[in-house]
Amino acid sequence: MAKVWPDALTNHNQMLAQQAQQAQQAERVWQAMPEAWKEQLHTCWLPLASHLAEFSEQYKATHHQPAIVGIHGGQGSGKSTLCRALADLYQQAFNWKVAVISIDDLYLTKHERQNLASEIHPLLATRGVPGTHDVVTGSELFQQLRTLGSNKYLNYPAFDKISDDRCPQDEWHGISGPVDLILFEGWCVGCQAADNTELQQPVNDLEQQEDSNGLWRQWVNDQLKDHYQPWFAQIDYLLMLKVPDIESVNQWRSQQERDNEKLSSNSQAASGMTDAQIRRFVQHYQRLTERALRDMPGYADLILELNNQHQVSAVHYNQTQVISVEESV
């Protein structure tokens, strides 16, 4: 694998492979990964972990603060699963403290989104699109994590998707300093705003029927351009989990919903969305998702192409194809 991934992988592979093997035996870390991903542990995920570890060490040595690695991917692509596995593996192998920040945990509260729906557009009651996150808190959080001192502790927001609201503070995430690496994951992480001419034609039934005048999509695009770009500019390395298409997002998001139901701590919450509700929900994301599929491979640092079986089929490094993973298995 060292011949097709960057040469720097050799510095960390041995230790990471040893820890991964121990984790497998103890049913930790990689056991939470999908079965399809476990088959690619040595051809894809360990080399990826090694590559990001090498980047992180070089960045910290040069800048004297932890790197922020952004992980973009369509809904259900596996961003959260990957972040948890990387954080646990780095802790075991290198004793690193890794802060995992999901953009989903920074959603505005239900009350705040209802206010947006009342004042700007009804579609803003639905979480997810740019404009429905607390960007100020997210940006400040990066700086707090980068400067968190030894034995200092920081709590940061958590969001419950079943109740569709921010969790009480006693259920928030927390980490003690100093932080060695920040993983920032989300479906729109790293996305860029569109030219206004792209917004004129609706891309699905939701936009056609519920945003016929384009007010919602224009407002969302303005939020992405004016507020999210400075936030995303803090990302030091951008990884893209490139989904096959929007239909895959529908299928994987349905599975994610079932998983969220099992994990939710809110016993009184209503059951998750039906497949029909999920299809409508995903239409909120379709425009930006499809634009990212088209444009992000041109500026992301690393692209992992996922096939319909949810496995990595190819790896592109610095906009150049490195390996067809399917051919190497």
Side-chain angles (χ1 to χ4, degrees):
M1 200 64 191
K3 293 182 180 179
V4 289
W5 283 78
D7 292 338
L9 295 179
T10 57
N11 293 347
H12 292 86
N13 265 347
Q14 185 174 0
M15 185 175 292
L16 286 168
Q18 180 181 4
Q19 292 297 331
Q21 181 62 32
Q22 293 175 357
Q24 283 183 305
Q25 294 172 355
E27 296 188 356
R28 295 166 59 192
V29 187
W30 303 99
Q31 292 304 306
M33 296 181 78
E35 290 298 323
W37 283 21
K38 293 178 189 178
E39 297 174 9
Q40 297 184 302
L41 179 61
H42 293 282
T43 58
C44 181
W45 303 113
L46 284 178
L48 171 66
S50 180
H51 173 58
L52 294 179
E54 182 72 16
F55 169 81
S56 176
E57 285 197 338
Q58 291 178 351
Y59 183 92
K60 194 170 185 180
T62 303
H63 296 83
H64 310 292
Q65 63 182 7
I68 299 174
V69 173
I71 300 180
H72 166 94
Q75 292 185 331
S77 59
K79 304 177 299 296
S80 299
T81 299
L82 177 59
C83 285
R84 288 194 299 268
L86 288 172
D88 204 350
L89 185 60
Y90 290 152
Q91 192 280 323
Q92 292 185 43
F94 310 130
N95 199 31
W96 284 3
K97 294 178 181 177
V98 180
V100 176
I101 309 299
S102 171
I103 200 170
D104 293 356
D105 281 324
L106 294 165
Y107 284 135
L108 297 174
T109 66
K110 182 184 292 187
H111 177 70
E112 289 170 327
R113 286 181 283 117
Q114 288 173 341
N115 285 342
L116 287 178
S118 175
E119 297 170 4
I120 300 173
H121 195 285
L123 286 176
L124 292 172
T126 300
R127 66 179 188 260
V129 297
T132 62
H133 302 91
D134 188 342
V135 174
V136 173
T137 294
S139 185
E140 291 175 348
L141 179 56
F142 285 166
Q143 299 308 310
Q144 291 172 320
L145 289 168
R146 281 184 146 166
T147 59
L148 192 62
S150 180
N151 299 320
K152 298 295 184 180
Y153 194 83
L154 178 67
N155 287 107
Y156 52 94
F159 192 91
D160 180 29
K161 293 181 179 179
I162 297 299
S163 63
D164 194 27
D165 211 349
R166 187 172 296 170
C167 295
Q169 288 195 20
D170 60 359
E171 297 179 16
W172 283 15
H173 306 292
I175 192 171
S176 59
V179 173
D180 296 288
L181 175 64
I182 300 168
L183 299 176
F184 177 41
E185 61 92 356
W187 80 273
C188 66
V189 164
C191 284
Q192 296 180 350
D195 185 274
N196 287 341
T197 58
E198 294 182 38
L199 307 177
Q200 295 176 3
Q201 295 299 318
V203 299
N204 54 37
D205 291 341
L206 179 83
E207 291 189 359
Q208 177 70 48
Q209 298 170 10
E210 301 183 47
D211 186 41
S212 58
N213 61 3
L215 174 63
W216 171 73
R217 51 188 182 268
Q218 181 67 64
W219 188 86
V220 168
N221 193 63
D222 289 344
Q223 295 298 305
L224 181 59
K225 177 176 62 176
D226 297 336
H227 303 293
Y228 285 64
Q229 294 310 303
W231 187 21
F232 294 162
Q234 297 183 61
I235 295 171
D236 304 301
Y237 190 99
L238 181 60
L239 165 66
M240 180 185 194
L241 298 178
K242 188 172 183 288
V243 300
D245 48 38
I246 198 68
E247 183 54 36
S248 297
V249 173
N250 274 302
Q251 295 173 8
W252 297 348
R253 184 61 182 82
S254 294
Q255 181 58 50
Q256 189 181 61
E257 188 71 14
R258 305 291 85 80
D259 294 341
N260 287 339
E261 292 176 32
K262 297 176 183 177
L263 294 174
S264 176
S265 61
N266 189 341
S267 59
Q268 295 182 343
S271 60
M273 292 185 286
T274 65
D275 287 346
Q277 290 172 323
I278 288 171
R279 284 193 171 273
R280 181 183 183 279
F281 184 63
V282 169
Q283 286 189 24
H284 292 76
Y285 302 80
Q286 182 175 344
R287 176 179 292 274
L288 268 178
T289 297
E290 292 181 338
R291 191 173 196 277
L293 290 176
R294 184 186 74 229
D295 295 345
M296 190 173 290
Y299 60 86
D301 296 288
L302 184 67
I303 303 98
L304 304 186
E305 288 196 23
L306 302 178
N307 58 25
N308 290 320
Q309 287 71 49
H310 220 149
Q311 287 192 319
V312 176
S313 59
V315 177
H316 301 258
Y317 177 66
N318 284 350
Q319 306 175 33
T320 302
Q321 183 164 336
V322 176
I323 182 174
S324 171
V325 178
E326 290 178 327
E327 294 174 1
S328 70
V329 176

